[in-house]
Amino acid sequence: MADKPSVLFVCVHNAGRSQMAAAWLTHLAGDRVEVRSAGSAPGDRVNPAAVAAMAEVGIDMSAQTPKLLTVDAVRESDVCITMGCGDACPVFPGKRYLDWKLDDPAGQGVEAVRPIRDEIRVLVEGLIAEIAPLGPEGSV
């Protein structure tokens, strides 16, 4: 893995789970990790309930837009994480592939999205501890 690990979150529409995961990783790891998200069939906008749920914890996703998954995005990432939605990434040797089984927030209200948001945070915190832990006294 590079000095600055790179993570790609993948979900079919890139409108909910993968966007929340990318936002959490950016928020919690800062510039210690390069973050991407994409989908095989991107939606036309990020799920408004996901945007609202993240805003409740001080993370603004309102400017994000769903992006198309490309072979280059996978190639350039150290870790590729699918969100339990059956999406597949092209497989390249030396990459780490994970699948996080998460409920789909599509069509749900913010009340239903909150537990998904919180579960994603826990998973992202575990990922950071593995790939970009802070050193003694908070150093990188």
Coordinates of all heavy atoms in Angstrom, one line a residue, residues 34-72:
E34 N -6.7 8.8 0.6 CA -7.3 9.3 -0.7 C -8.7 8.5 -0.8 O -8.7 7.3 -0.7 CB -6.5 9.0 -1.9 CG -7.0 9.6 -3.1 CD -6.1 9.3 -4.3 OE1 -4.9 8.9 -4.1 OE2 -6.5 9.6 -5.4
V35 N -9.7 9.3 -1.0 CA -11.1 8.7 -1.0 C -11.8 8.9 -2.3 O -11.8 10.0 -2.9 CB -11.9 9.4 0.1 CG1 -13.3 8.7 0.2 CG2 -11.2 9.3 1.5
R36 N -12.4 7.8 -2.8 CA -13.2 7.8 -4.0 C -14.5 7.1 -3.7 O -14.5 6.2 -2.9 CB -12.5 7.1 -5.2 CG -11.2 7.7 -5.6 CD -10.6 6.8 -6.8 NE -9.4 7.3 -7.2 CZ -8.2 7.0 -6.7 NH1 -8.1 6.2 -5.8 NH2 -7.1 7.6 -7.2
S37 N -15.5 7.4 -4.5 CA -16.7 6.6 -4.5 C -17.3 6.6 -5.9 O -17.1 7.5 -6.7 CB -17.8 7.1 -3.5 OG -18.3 8.3 -3.9
A38 N -18.0 5.5 -6.3 CA -18.5 5.4 -7.6 C -19.6 4.3 -7.7 O -19.8 3.5 -6.7 CB -17.4 5.1 -8.6
G39 N -20.3 4.2 -8.8 CA -21.4 3.2 -8.9 C -21.4 2.7 -10.4 O -21.1 3.4 -11.3
S40 N -21.9 1.5 -10.5 CA -22.0 0.9 -11.9 C -23.2 1.5 -12.7 O -23.1 1.5 -13.9 CB -22.2 -0.6 -11.8 OG -23.3 -0.9 -11.0
A41 N -24.2 2.1 -12.0 CA -25.3 2.7 -12.6 C -25.7 4.0 -11.8 O -26.7 3.9 -11.1 CB -26.5 1.8 -12.8
P42 N -24.8 5.0 -11.8 CA -25.0 6.1 -10.9 C -26.4 6.8 -11.0 O -26.9 6.9 -12.1 CB -23.9 7.1 -11.4 CG -23.0 6.4 -12.2 CD -23.7 5.2 -12.8
G43 N -26.9 7.2 -9.9 CA -28.2 7.9 -9.9 C -28.0 9.3 -10.3 O -26.9 9.7 -10.7
D44 N -29.1 10.0 -10.4 CA -29.0 11.4 -10.8 C -28.7 12.4 -9.7 O -28.3 13.5 -10.0 CB -30.3 11.8 -11.6 CG -31.6 11.7 -10.7 OD1 -31.5 11.1 -9.6 OD2 -32.6 12.2 -11.1
R45 N -28.8 11.9 -8.5 CA -28.4 12.8 -7.3 C -28.2 11.9 -6.1 O -28.6 10.7 -6.0 CB -29.5 13.8 -7.0 CG -30.8 13.2 -6.6 CD -31.9 14.2 -6.4 NE -33.1 13.5 -6.0 CZ -34.0 13.9 -5.1 NH1 -33.8 15.0 -4.4 NH2 -35.1 13.2 -4.8
V46 N -27.5 12.5 -5.1 CA -27.3 11.8 -3.9 C -28.6 11.8 -3.1 O -29.4 12.7 -3.1 CB -26.2 12.5 -3.1 CG1 -26.0 11.8 -1.7 CG2 -24.8 12.4 -3.8
N47 N -28.9 10.6 -2.4 CA -30.1 10.5 -1.7 C -30.3 11.6 -0.6 O -29.4 11.8 0.2 CB -30.0 9.1 -0.9 CG -31.2 8.8 -0.1 OD1 -31.9 9.6 0.4 ND2 -31.4 7.5 0.0
P48 N -31.4 12.4 -0.7 CA -31.6 13.5 0.2 C -31.6 13.1 1.7 O -31.2 13.8 2.5 CB -32.9 14.1 -0.2 CG -33.2 13.5 -1.6 CD -32.4 12.3 -1.7
A49 N -32.1 11.9 2.0 CA -32.2 11.4 3.3 C -30.8 11.1 3.8 O -30.4 11.4 5.0 CB -33.0 10.1 3.5
A50 N -29.9 10.6 3.0 CA -28.5 10.4 3.4 C -27.8 11.7 3.6 O -27.0 11.9 4.6 CB -27.7 9.6 2.3
V51 N -28.1 12.7 2.7 CA -27.5 14.1 2.9 C -28.0 14.6 4.3 O -27.2 15.2 5.0 CB -27.9 15.0 1.8 CG1 -27.5 16.4 2.0 CG2 -27.3 14.5 0.5
A52 N -29.3 14.5 4.6 CA -29.8 15.0 5.8 C -29.2 14.3 7.0 O -28.9 15.0 8.0 CB -31.3 14.9 5.8
A53 N -29.1 13.0 7.0 CA -28.6 12.2 8.1 C -27.1 12.6 8.4 O -26.7 12.7 9.5 CB -28.7 10.7 7.8
M54 N -26.3 12.8 7.3 CA -24.9 13.2 7.5 C -24.8 14.6 8.0 O -24.0 14.9 8.9 CB -24.2 13.0 6.2 CG -24.0 11.6 5.8 SD -23.2 10.5 6.9 CE -21.5 11.0 6.7
A55 N -25.7 15.5 7.6 CA -25.8 16.9 8.1 C -26.0 16.9 9.6 O -25.5 17.8 10.3 CB -26.8 17.7 7.3
E56 N -26.8 16.0 10.1 CA -27.1 15.9 11.5 C -25.8 15.7 12.3 O -25.7 16.1 13.5 CB -28.0 14.8 11.8 CG -29.4 15.0 11.3 CD -30.4 13.8 11.6 OE1 -29.9 12.7 12.0 OE2 -31.6 14.0 11.4
V57 N -24.8 15.1 11.7 CA -23.5 14.9 12.4 C -22.4 15.8 12.0 O -21.2 15.6 12.2 CB -23.0 13.4 12.3 CG1 -24.0 12.5 13.1 CG2 -22.9 12.9 10.9
G58 N -22.8 16.9 11.3 CA -21.9 17.9 10.9 C -21.1 17.7 9.6 O -20.1 18.3 9.4
I59 N -21.6 16.8 8.8 CA -20.9 16.5 7.5 C -21.8 16.9 6.4 O -22.9 16.4 6.2 CB -20.5 15.0 7.4 CG1 -19.6 14.6 8.6 CG2 -19.8 14.7 6.1 CD1 -19.2 13.1 8.7
D60 N -21.3 17.8 5.5 CA -22.0 18.3 4.4 C -21.7 17.5 3.1 O -20.6 17.6 2.6 CB -21.7 19.8 4.2 CG -22.5 20.4 3.1 OD1 -23.4 19.7 2.5 OD2 -22.2 21.5 2.7
M61 N -22.7 16.7 2.7 CA -22.6 16.0 1.4 C -23.4 16.6 0.3 O -23.5 16.0 -0.8 CB -23.1 14.5 1.6 CG -22.3 13.7 2.5 SD -22.7 11.9 2.4 CE -24.3 11.8 1.7
S62 N -23.9 17.8 0.5 CA -24.9 18.4 -0.4 C -24.3 18.7 -1.8 O -25.0 18.7 -2.8 CB -25.5 19.6 0.2 OG -24.5 20.6 0.4
A63 N -23.0 18.8 -1.9 CA -22.4 19.1 -3.2 C -21.9 17.9 -3.9 O -21.5 18.0 -5.1 CB -21.2 20.1 -3.0
Q64 N -22.1 16.7 -3.3 CA -21.6 15.5 -4.0 C -22.6 15.1 -5.1 O -23.8 15.3 -5.0 CB -21.5 14.4 -2.9 CG -20.4 14.6 -1.9 CD -19.1 14.9 -2.5 OE1 -18.6 14.2 -3.4 NE2 -18.4 15.9 -2.0
T65 N -22.0 14.4 -6.1 CA -22.8 13.9 -7.2 C -22.4 12.4 -7.4 O -21.2 12.1 -7.3 CB -22.6 14.7 -8.5 OG1 -21.3 14.7 -8.8 CG2 -23.1 16.1 -8.3
P66 N -23.3 11.5 -7.8 CA -23.0 10.2 -8.1 C -22.0 10.1 -9.3 O -22.1 10.9 -10.3 CB -24.3 9.5 -8.5 CG -25.3 10.3 -7.7 CD -24.8 11.7 -7.8
K67 N -21.0 9.2 -9.3 CA -20.0 9.1 -10.3 C -20.0 7.7 -10.8 O -20.3 6.7 -10.1 CB -18.6 9.4 -9.7 CG -18.5 10.9 -9.3 CD -17.3 11.1 -8.5 CE -17.4 11.6 -7.1 NZ -18.6 11.6 -6.4
L68 N -19.7 7.5 -12.1 CA -19.6 6.2 -12.8 C -18.3 5.5 -12.4 O -17.2 6.0 -12.4 CB -19.6 6.4 -14.3 CG -19.6 5.1 -15.1 CD1 -20.8 4.3 -14.9 CD2 -19.4 5.5 -16.6
L69 N -18.5 4.2 -12.0 CA -17.4 3.3 -11.7 C -16.5 3.1 -13.0 O -17.1 2.7 -14.0 CB -17.9 2.0 -11.1 CG -16.8 1.0 -10.8 CD1 -15.9 1.4 -9.7 CD2 -17.5 -0.4 -10.5
T70 N -15.2 3.3 -12.9 CA -14.3 3.1 -14.0 C -13.3 2.1 -13.6 O -12.9 1.9 -12.4 CB -13.7 4.3 -14.5 OG1 -12.8 4.8 -13.4 CG2 -14.7 5.4 -14.8
V71 N -12.7 1.4 -14.6 CA -11.6 0.5 -14.3 C -10.4 1.3 -13.7 O -9.8 0.8 -12.8 CB -11.2 -0.2 -15.6 CG1 -9.9 -1.0 -15.5 CG2 -12.3 -1.1 -16.1
D72 N -10.2 2.5 -14.2 CA -9.1 3.3 -13.6 C -9.3 3.6 -12.1 O -8.3 3.6 -11.4 CB -8.9 4.6 -14.4 CG -8.3 4.4 -15.8 OD1 -7.7 3.4 -16.0 OD2 -8.5 5.3 -16.6

